[in-house]
C-alpha cells in the first residue's frame, strides 16, 4: 500500500490551454497519468462507513476501487467499478461528483474531497487502452426484454439485464445509440468514440441495438408484447422537447433551441468538413439560460468561430444551475456572462435574420418556489446586444410520442410517465420507465440509477411470473 | 442498411425510389413522412411517403435532385444501400368525411398529391386533381394520376401540354364553376401553396397544406421545423405536417426554408467539383 497522501488539495487534472481549446473540439481535460492517479488515490482515507458510496446513484464501490488504484491494480479497479456501473468512462467525465459522491467525502471537510470522478475516468480510460479481453457472453435465460431509447437510462438497464441473462433489444429513434451522450454533450466534454466503445461493450454481452425505430409510433407497446414476444419493456425515452420563451422574434432565422444547435454540432458533426449537415458560422451569439446545456452551447458556438459569445441569464452567478466546473471552463475560454439579464424580444433584419436581442436588467427579490431569489425586471433598463444568433437553453419537456400512442400509460400534468420510485413500474403491468421521461430533465447519472433500479425490478417481475 | 429495391427516373431531375423498410410499410398512412441518411456523413433529410408496397416491403419516395444530399441519393442505384431510414413520422392526413374535394399538386408535389388523391378516390370521394408543371417534359405520374381522380386538370406554365397557366389558375377555374367543395389539399413549393391558399380563401373553402420545413430529428426534439399557424408556434414534425393553409404565416415559412441557401450552394459546388475531378 502506498503511503497516504495528506495534501489538502486534489491532484490537478491536465487540461488543454483555454485559448487553444476554444478553437478545437478535442477533449478539454486530458486525464490523469498513472502517477497522478496513484497519488490522488492515496488521498482516500478508506473510511469504514463509506459516505461516498451513499452519494452514488449507481452504488459504485468507491473506496474499494480507489484502493486498487493506490495499489496499481488498474484492471482490478476498472472491474470493481464495472460491477455496478455500466458506463464508467462516461460517468467519470459528466457526473456532477461535487454534489454526489465527492460532496460526502470526509477529506472535503478540510480541503478538497478526493477526486473520485477523475479516478473513475482514469480507470475506465486505462482499461480501454490496455485491456483487450472481450466480455464473456452471459448464459441466456430465454426471456426477452425491450428497451426503448438508447440514452443513459436505457443503456444501463439493457446492460444490467443482459448480465442477468436476458435477451435485450434496444430500440432507438435516432440513427445512433447514446441519446444525450451523443446528440447533446459535446465532443470536447465527452468524446463520441468513448460512448461508442461503451455501446460496443454492451454488444459483446449480447445487447442488440435497432436504430431508426421510433417506439410508440413504429411499434406500439402492445405489439412489442403480443407480436414480438417481449416479456417486459423499459421506457427511457428522455426529455427531448425544447422549451422556448414565447417572446417576439423567436422564429427569425438564427434562433435555435439548444437541442437543435447541439444536435447539428455534435450528432451531425457540423463542425467537421466532411459532414453534410449545414451550420452557419455565426459571429456573435447569445445563449439564453444558465444550465450545463447553456454552457455546452456557448462553448460550441465559440469553437465554431464566434468572436463573442454571451450567456444571458436572469438570475445571478450563485443561482446558476450549471456545474461550477463548466462555468469555470466557459469563463476561461472567454464566454461573456450577462447575469441578471432577461431577453424581452429578438430583433431581425429585413431578410428575417437575427441582428440583435433586446434584454432587460433584473434584480433579485424574495425567494420563489424553487428557494432561489426571484428575479424582478428593473423598469426602463432595456438594452440591445448585437448578435446574429440566439440559442435558447431553457430546458426540455418529456417526449410525448409513447404516451400519446399508449392510452393506458399514466402520465402527470407535465407529461412525465408515472413510475414507482422503488421499481420503475408504470400503470401497465410489465412496462417500466426511468430517467428524464419520469423525472423531467435531470442528469445522466440519475437516469442511469433509474435504469439500474428498473433492471432489478424487471428481473424480479419476470422471475415471479414464471 | 436499407436496400434500394427500385429506382425510376421520372424526368431529368425527379427520381422515384422504393426503399426496403418493412417496419415502415406496416404502419405508414397517407400524409406521413420518413427521414433518411444516404451515408455515414449524410444529413437527415425528410421526404413524404409517396406510397408503400406491402409485398416487397418497399417504401416509395419521390425527390428532386436539387441539393447535395438529394443529388447523392439520386446517384445510388437499384441494389445499393442507404445508411438510415426512419418512419413513419408525423400525423397522417385527416380525410374527415369529405365527399367532394380538390387535390392540388405543383411539380414534385404531385408525388404526394397523387397518393392522397388516390386514397380519397378509392374511398369513393369525388376528386378533382389539379396539377401543374413548368413544361411538358417535366410532367410526372400522368397515367397514375388519371386513375386517381374523377377529373384531372393538367396545367403547364408555358402551355406545352394541358391548359396554359399555373395551378392557381386551374384551381380558380374549377372553383369559379362550382365552389361547393368540402376541402382543398395542397402539395407543392411554399410560394405555390401561399397563393393557392389565397384563391381558396376567396371561395371560403377549407384548405389543408402539407408543410415540409427544414428539420433534423422529426420527433419534436430540435424545433428547427417550427412554423407559425394562427399566431401560434407549431412543430411541423409532430403537430403536422398538415395545417390549415389559411392560418400559416407563409412569409416566415419561406424565410426559414431559405436559411441555409448559401451553405447548400457551397456544398453543391464542392460536390460537382469532386465529381468532375473524378471523370
Amino acid at each position: 500500500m502506498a503511503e497516504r497522501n495528506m495534501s489538502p488539495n486534489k491532484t490537478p487534472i491536465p487540461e488543454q490551454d483555454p485559448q487553444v481549446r476554444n478553437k478545437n473540439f478535442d477533449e478539454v481535460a486530458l486525464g490523469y497519468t498513472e502517477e497522478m492517479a496513484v497519488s490522488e488515490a492515496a488521498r482516500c482515507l478508506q473510511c469504514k462507513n463509506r459516505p461516498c458510496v451513499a452519494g452514488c446513484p449507481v452504488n459504485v464501490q468507491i473506496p474499494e476501487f480507489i484502493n486498487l488504484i493506490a495499489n496499481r491494480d488498474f484492471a482490478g479497479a476498472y472491474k470493481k467499478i464495472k460491477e455496478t456501473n455500466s458506463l464508467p468512462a462516461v460517468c467519470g467525465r459528466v457526473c456532477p461528483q461535487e454534489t454526489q459522491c465527492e460532496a460526502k467525502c470526509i477529506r472535503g471537510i478540510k480541503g478538497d474531497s478526493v477526486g473520485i470522478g477523475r479516478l473513475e475516468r482514469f480507470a475506465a480510460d486505462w482499461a480501454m487502452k490496455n485491456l483487450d479481453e472481450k466480455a464473456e457472453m452471459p448464459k441466456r435465460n430465454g426471456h426477452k426484454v425491450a428497451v426503448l431509447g438508447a440514452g443513459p437510462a436505457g443503456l444501463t438497464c439493457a446492460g444490467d439485464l443482459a448480465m442477468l441473462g436476458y435477451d435485450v433489444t434496444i430500440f432507438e429513434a435516432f440513427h445512433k445509440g447514446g441519446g444525450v451522450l451523443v446528440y447533446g454533450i459535446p465532443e470536447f466534454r465527452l468524446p463520441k468514440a468513448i460512448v461508442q466503445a461503451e455501446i460496443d461493450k454492451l454488444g459483446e454481452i449480447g445487447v442488440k441495438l435497432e436504430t431508426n425505430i421510433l417506439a410508440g409510433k413504429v411499434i406500439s407497446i402492445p405489439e412489442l408484447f403480443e407480436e414480438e414476444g417481449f416479456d417486459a419493456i423499459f421506457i427511457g425515452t428522455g426529455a427531448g422537447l425544447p422549451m422556448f420563451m414565447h417572446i417576439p422574434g423567436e422564429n427569425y432565422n438564427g434562433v435555435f433551441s439548444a437541442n437543435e444547435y447541439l444536435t447539428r454540432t455534435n450528432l451531425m458533426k457540423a463542425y467537421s468538413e466532411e459532414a453534410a449537415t449545414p451550420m452557419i458560422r455565426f459571429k456573435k451569439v447569445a445563449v439564453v439560460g444558465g444550465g450545463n446545456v447553456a454552457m455546452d452551447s456557448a462553448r460550441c458556438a465559440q469553437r465554431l468561430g464566434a468572436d463573442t459569445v454571451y450567456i444571458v441569464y436572469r438570475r445571478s452567478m450563485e443561482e446558476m444551475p450549471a456545474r461550477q466546473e463548466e462555468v469555470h471552463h466557459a469563463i476561461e475560454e472567454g464566454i461573456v456572462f450577462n447575469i441578471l439579464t432577461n431577453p424581452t424580444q429578438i430583433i431581425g433584419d429585413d431578410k428575417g435574420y437575427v441582428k440583435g436581442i433586446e434584454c432587460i436588467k433584473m434584480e433579485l427579490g424574495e425567494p420563489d418556489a424553487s428557494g432561489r431569489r426571484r428575479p424582478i425586471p428593473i423598469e426602463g433598463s432595456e438594452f440591445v446586444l448585437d448578435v446574429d444568433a440566439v440559442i435558447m437553453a431553457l430546458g426540455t419537456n418529456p417526449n410525448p410520442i409513447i404516451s400519446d400512442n399508449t392510452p393506458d400509460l399514466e402520465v402527470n400534468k407535465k407529461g412525465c410517465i408515472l413510475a414507482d420510485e422503488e421499481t420503475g413500474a408504470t400503470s401497465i403491468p410489465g412496462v417500466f420507465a426511468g430517467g428524464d421521461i419520469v423525472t423531467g430533465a435531470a442528469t445522466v447519472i440519475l437516469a442511469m440509477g433509474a435504469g439500474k433500479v428498473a433492471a432489478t425490478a424487471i428481473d424480479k417481475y419476470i422471475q415471479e411470473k414464471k | 442498411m436499407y436496400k434500394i429495391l427500385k429506382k425510376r427516373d421520372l424526368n431529368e431531375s425527379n427520381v422515384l425510389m422504393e426503399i426496403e423498410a418493412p417496419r415502415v410499410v406496416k404502419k405508414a398512412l397517407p400524409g406521413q413522412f420518413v427521414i433518411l441518411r444516404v451515408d455515414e456523413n449524410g444529413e437527415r433529410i425528410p421526404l413524404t411517403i409517396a406510397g408503400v408496397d406491402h409485398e416487397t416491403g418497399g417504401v416509395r419516395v419521390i425527390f428532386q435532385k436539387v441539393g447535395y444530399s438529394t443529388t447523392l441519393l439520386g446517384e445510388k442505384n437499384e441494389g445499393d444501400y442507404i445508411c438510415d431510414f426512419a418512419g413513419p413520422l408525423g400525423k397522417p392526413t385527416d380525410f374527415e368525411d369529405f365527399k367532394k374535394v380538390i387535390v392540388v399538386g405543383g411539380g414534385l408535389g404531385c408525388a404526394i398529391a397523387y397518393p392522397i388523391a388516390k386514397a380519397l378516390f378509392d374511398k369513393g370521394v369525388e376528386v378533382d386533381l389539379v396539377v401543374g408543371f413548368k413544361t411538358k417534359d417535366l410532367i410526372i405520374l400522368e397515367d397514375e394520376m388519371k386513375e386517381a381522380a374523377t377529373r384531372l386538370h393538367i396545367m403547364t406554365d408555358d402551355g406545352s401540354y394541358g391548359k396554359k397557366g399555373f395551378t392557381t389558375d386551374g384551381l380558380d377555374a374549377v372553383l369559379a364553376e362550382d365552389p361547393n367543395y368540402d376541402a382543398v389539399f395542397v402539395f407543392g413549393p411554399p410560394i405555390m401553396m401561399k397563393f393557392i391558399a389565397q384563391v381558396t380563401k376567396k371561395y371560403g373553402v377549407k384548405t389543408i397544406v402539407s408543410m415540409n420545413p427544414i428539420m433534423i430529428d422529426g420527433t419534436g426534439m430540435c424545433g428547427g421545423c417550427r412554423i407559425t399557424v394562427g399566431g401560434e408556434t407549431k412543430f411541423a414534425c409532430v403537430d403536422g405536417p398538415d395545417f390549415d393553409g389559411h392560418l400559416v404565416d407563409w412569409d416566415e415559412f419561406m424565410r426559414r426554408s431559405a436559411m441555409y441557401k448559401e451553405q447548400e450552394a457551397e456544398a453543391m459546388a464542392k460536390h460537382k467539383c469532386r465529381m468532375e475531378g473524378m471523370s
Side-chain angles (χ1 to χ4, degrees):
Chain A
M1 170 76 200
E3 202 170 307
R4 189 145 288 149
N5 173 355
M6 290 312 291
S7 160
N9 301 321
K10 221 183 249 191
T11 310
I13 192 164
E15 286 174 351
Q16 273 198 78
D17 182 86
Q19 293 315 309
V20 174
R21 71 179 191 236
N22 66 9
K23 294 172 196 70
N24 69 48
F25 273 83
D26 299 337
E27 197 171 8
V28 168
L30 305 170
Y32 278 161
T33 60
E34 290 186 7
E35 293 321 310
M36 288 173 189
V38 170
S39 160
E40 181 63 18
R43 291 185 63 232
C44 174
L45 300 175
Q46 296 291 317
C47 312
K48 284 278 169 302
N49 59 347
R50 306 153 86 233
C52 50
V53 179
C56 177
V58 297
N59 204 31
V60 168
Q61 303 297 294
I62 295 166
E64 285 78 358
F65 96 75
I66 290 183
N67 193 37
L68 289 161
I69 293 182
N71 288 306
R72 306 192 78 93
D73 179 1
F74 306 134
Y78 170 72
K79 283 175 187 157
K80 181 54 74 181
I81 301 169
K82 269 298 248 194
E83 282 174 14
T84 61
N85 181 352
S86 43
L87 310 169
V90 172
C91 291
R93 287 171 166 83
V94 303
C95 265
Q97 291 98 7
E98 65 280 8
T99 61
Q100 299 180 346
C101 53
E102 293 183 17
K104 311 242 170 158
C105 177
I106 302 298
R107 292 298 307 259
I109 298 169
K110 282 186 190 167
D112 293 343
S113 58
V114 174
I116 300 170
R118 293 171 180 185
L119 289 170
E120 181 179 36
R121 170 188 163 156
F122 166 79
D125 288 359
W126 186 92
M128 226 169 255
K129 223 180 290 163
N130 298 291
L131 281 189
D132 197 22
E133 51 198 85
K134 285 228 156 143
E136 215 171 297
M137 180 78 86
K139 198 164 164 281
R140 287 271 166 268
N141 67 13
H143 293 284
K144 281 172 71 178
V145 180
V147 170
L148 314 185
L155 293 175
T156 303
C157 186
D160 281 17
L161 286 168
M163 288 305 286
L164 291 169
Y166 289 92
D167 178 358
V168 184
T169 305
I170 308 180
F171 296 98
E172 164 60 39
F174 262 131
H175 55 267
K176 214 181 204 103
V180 73
L181 307 176
V182 294
Y183 74 72
I185 303 176
E187 179 76 18
F188 56 83
R189 231 161 40 87
L190 178 63
K192 300 311 147 217
I194 284 170
V195 181
Q196 193 54 51
E198 300 278 30
I199 293 173
D200 291 346
K201 285 217 177 76
L202 292 180
E204 286 172 20
I205 56 170
V207 174
K208 285 171 269 187
L209 175 62
E210 257 200 68
T211 53
N212 296 320
I213 301 286
L214 185 59
K217 206 146 192 154
V218 188
I219 333 170
S220 68
I221 301 276
E223 283 167 342
L224 284 167
F225 283 124
E226 288 149 27
E227 291 176 27
E228 311 238 354
F230 288 99
D231 298 292
I233 297 168
F234 174 75
I235 305 174
T237 45
L241 298 201
M243 293 200 250
F244 286 91
M245 289 187 78
H246 306 291
I247 55 173
E250 244 175 343
N251 290 348
Y252 280 129
N253 290 359
V255 184
F256 299 88
S257 71
N259 261 3
E260 178 181 2
Y261 192 79
L262 291 173
T263 302
R264 280 182 184 275
T265 309
N266 302 316
L267 179 71
M268 306 313 293
K269 298 199 174 356
Y271 63 86
S272 84
E273 281 288 309
E274 286 77 42
T277 300
M279 176 60 97
I280 299 170
R281 301 295 168 122
F282 298 103
K283 285 293 155 204
K284 285 180 180 229
V285 180
V287 178
V288 183
N292 289 324
V293 174
M295 300 305 134
D296 284 346
S297 304
R299 296 169 73 196
C300 280
Q302 180 101 337
R303 282 162 171 78
L304 287 168
D307 302 327
T308 313
V309 181
Y310 302 105
I311 288 280
V312 175
Y313 180 56
R314 64 194 182 122
R315 301 180 195 250
S316 76
M317 290 306 263
E318 267 172 49
E319 288 88 14
M320 211 170 260
R323 289 183 69 192
Q324 261 182 15
E325 182 182 308
E326 303 308 327
V327 175
H328 169 75
H329 277 149
I331 292 171
E332 273 186 346
E333 289 170 12
I335 307 293
V336 182
F337 282 70
N338 275 298
I339 52 162
L340 291 168
T341 302
N342 205 28
T344 47
Q345 64 167 316
I346 295 162
I347 304 159
D349 65 15
D350 52 359
K351 291 198 178 105
Y353 284 80
V354 173
K355 70 169 187 183
I357 180 168
E358 187 194 83
C359 303
I360 190 164
K361 285 278 178 198
M362 311 290 275
E363 60 190 348
L364 293 179
E366 295 300 308
D368 61 14
S370 74
R372 299 178 297 180
R373 293 176 63 193
R374 182 196 303 276
I376 304 163
I378 303 172
E379 222 175 292
S381 67
E382 288 89 349
F383 66 102
V384 173
L385 288 172
D386 290 335
V387 294
D388 54 1
V390 175
I391 302 167
M392 293 292 180
L394 307 162
T396 50
N397 286 320
N399 197 316
I401 287 178
I402 290 183
S403 47
D404 281 356
N405 289 286
T406 317
D408 295 343
L409 190 63
E410 284 176 19
V411 297
N412 70 13
K413 273 204 309 258
K414 289 179 175 164
C416 300
I417 295 178
L418 294 174
D420 185 292
E421 252 179 63
E422 310 277 297
T423 62
T426 68
S427 54
I428 303 177
V431 178
F432 299 75
D436 285 3
I437 189 71
V438 171
T439 57
T443 60
V444 168
I445 189 69
L446 283 176
M448 290 177 60
K452 211 167 182 57
V453 163
T456 309
I458 288 170
D459 178 44
K460 189 159 172 266
Y461 167 81
I462 293 176
Q463 296 309 322
E464 281 174 1
K465 219 177 75 174
K466 271 203 293 201
Chain B
M1 300 292 273
Y2 301 79
K3 191 176 183 181
I4 298 169
L5 298 173
K6 195 162 145 190
K7 180 187 179 187
R8 193 171 116 205
D9 289 316
L10 298 177
N11 58 36
E12 212 171 81
S13 63
N14 294 344
V15 183
L16 177 154
M17 268 184 188
E18 277 181 25
I19 293 161
E20 189 172 38
R23 279 204 198 268
V24 182
V25 169
K26 213 174 134 198
K27 286 293 170 72
L29 291 168
Q32 291 185 298
F33 63 98
V34 294
I35 286 193
L36 63 82
R37 277 199 328 150
V38 180
D39 60 31
E40 262 310 312
N41 288 320
E43 63 183 319
R44 295 172 62 92
I45 47 175
L47 290 173
T48 310
I49 296 169
V52 295
D53 186 332
H54 286 276
E55 269 169 39
T56 61
V59 178
R60 175 186 292 194
V61 290
I62 300 180
F63 57 94
Q64 185 174 11
K65 292 183 276 184
V66 63
Y68 169 69
S69 295
T70 43
T71 302
L72 213 58
L73 181 60
E75 285 162 8
K76 296 275 175 192
N77 290 308
E78 275 181 23
D80 290 349
Y81 288 82
I82 59 169
C83 196
D84 297 290
F85 195 86
L89 303 168
K91 291 185 178 153
T93 299
D94 186 354
F95 294 142
E96 301 184 28
D97 46 5
F98 299 135
K99 300 280 184 292
K100 189 174 164 194
V101 305
I102 304 173
V103 179
V104 182
L108 185 70
C110 294
I112 313 309
Y114 157 65
I116 295 288
K118 186 166 169 23
L120 285 158
F121 186 65
D122 288 350
K123 272 177 53 170
V125 177
E126 188 178 336
V127 179
D128 278 73
L129 183 52
V130 179
V131 297
F133 301 91
K134 273 206 178 91
T135 183
K136 183 172 184 256
D137 295 343
L138 294 176
I139 293 174
I140 57 170
L141 304 172
E142 187 184 356
D143 294 340
E144 286 94 335
M145 290 192 296
K146 274 183 195 154
E147 306 294 317
T150 319
R151 288 169 291 273
L152 174 65
H153 314 262
I154 298 183
M155 310 291 296
T156 49
D157 296 1
D158 60 1
S160 53
Y161 194 81
K163 281 196 190 129
K164 184 172 165 29
F166 299 123
T167 47
T168 40
D169 304 321
L171 175 70
D172 206 330
V174 173
L175 285 171
E177 202 164 294
D178 174 12
N180 294 315
Y181 282 85
D182 299 328
V184 176
F185 292 89
V186 194
F187 307 87
I191 185 83
M192 183 200 95
M193 294 202 283
K194 173 183 171 173
F195 286 111
I196 290 284
Q198 286 176 5
V199 173
T200 56
K201 187 137 202 197
K202 196 169 70 181
Y203 292 98
V205 183
K206 179 173 184 156
T207 301
I208 299 143
V209 293
S210 174
M211 306 297 276
N212 49 353
I214 296 169
M215 60 177 73
I216 302 180
D217 58 290
T219 65
M221 214 201 80
C222 80
C225 65
R226 58 196 192 277
I227 56 178
T228 304
V229 183
E232 266 181 67
T233 294
K234 299 277 182 192
F235 288 5
C237 65
V238 287
D239 299 324
D242 292 352
F243 293 97
D244 182 336
H246 295 151
L247 298 179
V248 170
D249 180 337
W250 290 105
D251 293 334
E252 177 190 278
F253 178 64
M254 284 188 274
R255 264 196 334 246
R256 288 186 64 81
S257 298
M259 181 154 161
Y260 294 100
K261 234 177 172 168
E262 269 177 47
Q263 284 73 22
E264 279 161 11
E266 264 172 49
M268 210 40 214
K270 259 207 271 181
H271 180 65
K272 272 196 186 137
C273 249
R274 271 199 300 266
M275 295 305 290
E276 278 155 19
M278 276 160 65
S279 60

